[in-house]
Structures are given as C-alpha cells and as structure tokens.
Amino acid sequence: MIGFICASPSRQQGQALVLGMLMATAATVSLVVLYNLGQTVESRERLTHAADAAVYSGALEQARTLNTLAYVNRTQIAHQVAMAHLVTLAASAQYARTMQAQRSRGNPPAGLVAMLFGPDAGLAYQAGQAVPDVERGLAAAFDQHDRIVHQVLEAAAATAIGELPKSRERIMRKVLSANFPETVSQGVAGGGGRQGPVLRLLSDGWQGYVERGLATRKAGLWPAVEQAAGRYGFLDSRSATRRNTWMVSPRCPLHRHELRRRGYTWLGPDGRWGALDTQSYHALRSNRWVGCYFREYAMGWGTAQGEKSKAPQGLEYVEEPPLDFSQQDFWRWVEQSTSWDIFGGATNPMANSYAMAGAQRWPSRGLPAYREIALARHGAPLRFAVAVRLPGAALKTTDAGSSVAASSGRFAYAALGKAGGVSVVSAAETYFVRPERRSDGRGELATLFRPYWQARLSAVTPQEATRAGEAP
C-alpha cells in the first residue's frame, strides 16, 4: 500500500509574498518608465512647437527688417522727387522775377509780344511776378530734405541692419519663455523656477545678405529715382516754340520771328538736381554782312543747382554775358565771343548765360547710399536654424520636476542621454514674393525696393542636425 506524505503548511508560508513583491516591483518600474517616457515625449512635442514658433517669429523679424529697408529706399526716392520739385520751383521763381524786371524795362515790350505771338503770350508775359523770399524758403526746405536722406534715413537703415541679430534672438527667447512660463529664461538670475529652454544658433545667412551701395553710378537708386521723377509732368520738359506768321525779309522768306520757351529739370552726373527755365524773343534781322540772323532778347531766366555742380552737358552759354548791346552789335559780338548758331538755332543761349551767371547754388550731397540684396544672394531666401534644449531638470520626470519620489544611482532615469535634457532643431526663412503676378508674366528677383518679404518654416538640413548633436 502506497502512502502520501504532505508538506507541512508552515513550510509553504511566504513564497507567494516574494513572488507578489517581484511582480509589484516590476509593475512599479514599468509604470515609472512609462510615466517618464510619456513626460519626455510630451516635453519634446511641446518643445518642438515652441521652437517652431520661435524661429518663425525670428523669420518674421527678418521680414520686418527687410521691409523696413525697402520702405527706407522708397522714402529716399520720395525725398529725391521732392528735391527735384524744389529746384524746379526755385528756377521758376527766379524766372518770374527776371521776367518782371525785363517787362518793366520794356525789353521787349509786352505789347510787341502780344502783337507778334498772340494775346495769350502777351498776358503770360504780363503775369510774370516775383514772390518775396520764396527762393530762400525753397532753399531751406531743400536743405532739410538733404539732411534727412543723408542722416536720418541713413541712420535708420544702419540701425535696422546692425540690430537685427539681437532683436531676432530677443524675440525668439521671448516666444520660448511664453511657451514655458513655469521656467526661468536663460540668463535670468534668481527666482525659484526651473531653467527654461536653451537657444543655440546653428546657421545664419544674415551676414553679407544685404550690402550698402553708393548711388554714384547708373544702378540701384539712380534709375529708380529717375523713373519716379518721370511720372511728374512738372519735372518734364517745359519747352515750346511759337512762330509769327508774317514774312520779315525777302532774303529769308521762310524764317519768322520766334518766341522760345525752354525749361527742364535734370539729375546731374554728380547725383545733384538742377533746373533751368528761360524764355526769349528771337527777332529775325538781316544785313549785308551776315544775311538773316536771329537777334535774341532774353525775357526771363532762372536756374537752381548744386553748389559744386557743373552746367548741364550741351548747354550753350558764356561765363560773363554783356548786360546790353547799346555799344556793340549783337551779331558781331556773337561771332567774336561765342560759337552760337544765330542763323538756325533752337535754344536761348543769351538767356542761358544770364541764368548761369545768377544761378542759385544750393549745398547738396547728391544721391544718398542705399541698401540692396547682395548680388550673389538674390536667388536665395534669408535662412537660419537653431537648436533648442530643455534641461532635464525642467522635465516632470521622477528624477526632476515630478512630485513622485526620484530614483537614484543606477535606477535613475537615463533616457535623456548624456545631455540630460530634450533637444530639437528648427529652421525658418524669409523670402521675397509678389502679392500678385507681374502684368508681363515675368519673375522678379528679390529686392529691397519692394516690401514683399514674408516668413515661413524651413526643412532642417543634415548638416544642421549633425551640428545640433555636437557639444555647444
């Protein structure tokens, strides 16, 4: 007969407790790991959104700076157009003053002008009247514009360029702080909060993206100013010729008395504005020595230009014109002292001479400097990338910011690696795009003469990702 021997209950006591404790420990460790992992993933996602918001804000600051420079350039153009109007007004004011003086002297008489060229021409001659001190006021306004373009706007552009890296970083840090209000910003002393995100610049295209150009050649600001000035009829040519219908001499039956009005505004080779206005009565004369010729009677003249500017190229005039010809013949003086064409000319050389002799010379520094995208960078957006790290102490893991008791030693949370934190990389760029396509359908290079700069996020390059993993 086989018998069964049963172990004593006292020998089995405690075995289930050990197994249960092992299972509870494993479950606890799993929960801790899962909790820490969840906190790490949540922190990384939160940091990614914050970093993207920060770099996008930095790119917006770049766009604002580039658009500011575009508005500065356009403001420079506007001031130049205003200065062109001022010199034209000054020439017109002097022209009216000299016309009043000639009319009062009867040289030529207003009645003769009306008889030969019509009542409206006579009325216009009669209307010429000086305005007291107007030229002085125009000169003062011109000086103010010159000061603004060379000092105020130049300083504004230089400041915008020089301050961009600091302002961009300041804005990015502010965005990061707003996304992590429970932390203390990097570099802030004191306070009981945990250290916030640490920002590190990985790449930056700002250096050399914008260059300063001098408007001493036909490029950049110069053609833009000329194009803008060309929109104003007041600055356009003010030239017209009226011919009398009567035959004067059988020697030259096709020639007539002429009333020549000449005037124009120019931007000289030195980048300084000038304006000239003249009007002359050209009386057809004839003698046995030279035949038919035009005797010029200057009726009005005026000019304003830069203090050191030369006369416009091709202008016919002499340095010291005689005040009258009571002691000499006009045609003989012309033959001996000038190379003017008094037989078939089309200008007012005598009035030009008086205008240049009494020219208003205004101090001017010419066209100012301007900013433009560097030639080699026109096809590329302005891009930068950053690495943002959130220290491990700022995470709500069991060994950092959590209220759960922290593990230590070999059981401490090690998923954050040697850096002891969470790191992300983000990039953004500022690019140029027209709000609508050009009418001719052509593309347009990036420029600082149009405020069409915008911002967007950009893909991170492998080089930047590798650089982010390196020790700072």
Side-chain angles (χ1 to χ4, degrees), residues 367-382:
L367 290 179
Y370 66 97
R371 267 67 181 188
E372 181 57 295
I373 304 302
L375 186 60
R377 309 285 294 278
H378 272 284
L382 175 56

Side-chain angles (χ1 to χ4, degrees), residues 24 75 93 105 116 126 145 232 241 250 256 290 315 329 408 433 456 466:
T75 304
R105 292 171 54 195
L116 293 176
Q126 288 280 10
H145 282 282
Y232 296 86
T241 301
R256 301 290 189 269
V290 295
L315 184 68
D329 293 324
S408 59
V433 60
R456 63 190 175 195
T466 301

Side-chain angles (χ1 to χ4, degrees), residues 79-419:
H79 277 281
Q80 293 302 316
V81 172
M83 294 167 79
H85 279 80
L86 287 171
V87 297
T88 305
L89 286 169
S92 299
Q94 187 181 24
Y95 167 80
R97 176 164 52 80
T98 55
M99 181 172 287
Q100 181 183 16
Q102 291 297 97
R103 186 183 66 247
S104 63
R105 292 171 54 195
N107 186 25
L112 177 64
V113 173
M115 180 182 66
L116 293 176
F117 304 106
D120 58 335
L123 288 173
Y125 189 30
Q126 288 280 10
Q129 186 174 357
V131 180
D133 288 334
V134 65
E135 291 142 294
R136 182 183 302 177
L138 293 171
F142 185 91
D143 183 68
Q144 283 283 66
H145 282 282
D146 193 64
R147 182 186 66 83
I148 290 172
V149 299
H150 286 280
Q151 296 180 19
V152 179
L153 293 178
E154 171 65 22
T159 300
I161 292 174
E163 293 295 323
L164 174 62
K166 292 181 180 179
S167 63
R168 183 183 60 188
E169 181 179 356
R170 182 169 59 251
I171 286 175
M172 289 193 292
R173 291 190 184 283
K174 189 173 181 179
V175 171
L176 291 174
S177 298
N179 279 270
F180 290 88
E182 72 278 9
T183 62
V184 178
S185 299
Q186 185 183 16
V188 177
R194 300 183 297 274
Q195 182 182 359
V198 180
L199 181 70
R200 179 161 61 98
L201 193 64
L202 298 176
S203 62
D204 185 13
W206 175 242
Q207 188 69 29
Y209 193 77
V210 174
E211 62 182 6
R212 183 175 183 268
L214 297 177
T216 55
R217 61 188 188 277
K218 291 278 186 176
L221 188 66
W222 198 307
V225 167
E226 289 184 326
Q227 182 181 10
R231 298 174 181 267
Y232 296 86
F234 185 65
L235 305 179
D236 203 354
S237 174
R238 303 176 287 280
S239 299
T241 301
R242 184 172 293 191
R243 304 177 74 230
N244 178 254
T245 58
W246 308 335
M247 187 179 73
V248 179
S249 172
R251 292 183 178 180
C252 42
L254 299 180
H255 288 73
R256 301 290 189 269
H257 298 305
E258 292 185 1
L259 183 66
R260 299 177 189 169
R261 172 72 166 91
R262 299 291 182 265
Y264 60 103
T265 303
W266 69 88
L267 182 60
D270 56 358
R272 292 173 171 84
W273 288 102
L276 175 70
D277 282 279
T278 63
Q279 181 166 296
S280 293
Y281 161 45
H282 293 263
L284 185 62
R285 301 284 177 83
S286 175
N287 62 40
R288 59 180 180 174
W289 294 283
V290 295
C292 293
Y293 68 95
F294 285 107
R295 163 65 163 96
E296 180 182 354
Y297 293 90
M299 298 170 58
W301 57 86
T303 186
Q305 54 184 310
E307 190 174 34
K308 300 179 181 179
S309 296
K310 297 181 179 179
Q313 187 176 7
L315 184 68
E316 290 186 304
Y317 77 103
V318 294
E319 294 287 346
E320 298 180 359
L323 297 178
D324 62 67
F325 292 90
S326 58
Q327 304 300 322
Q328 57 184 325
D329 293 324
F330 175 81
W331 65 269
R332 196 181 301 277
W333 174 82
V334 170
E335 278 194 338
Q336 295 173 354
S337 306
T338 75
S339 59
W340 300 346
D341 178 11
I342 60 174
F343 306 103
T347 62
N348 297 330
M350 199 73 238
N352 291 342
S353 302
Y354 292 146
M356 296 306 297
Q360 304 171 72
R361 298 287 184 173
W362 291 355
S364 171
R365 283 167 280 185
L367 290 179
Y370 66 97
R371 267 67 181 188
E372 181 57 295
I373 304 302
L375 186 60
R377 309 285 294 278
H378 272 284
L382 175 56
R383 187 181 176 283
F384 71 98
V386 299
V388 183
R389 184 176 68 86
L390 187 64
L395 273 63
K396 292 183 179 181
T397 56
T398 54
D399 57 349
S402 173
S403 58
V404 181
S407 303
S408 59
R410 69 179 63 183
F411 298 106
Y413 182 54
L416 300 180
K418 296 181 180 179

Side-chain angles (χ1 to χ4, degrees), residues 69-79 221 448-451:
L69 295 175
Y71 282 120
V72 168
N73 282 339
R74 297 175 77 85
T75 304
Q76 294 280 25
I77 295 171
H79 277 281
L221 188 66
L448 289 183
F449 284 90
R450 298 186 184 275

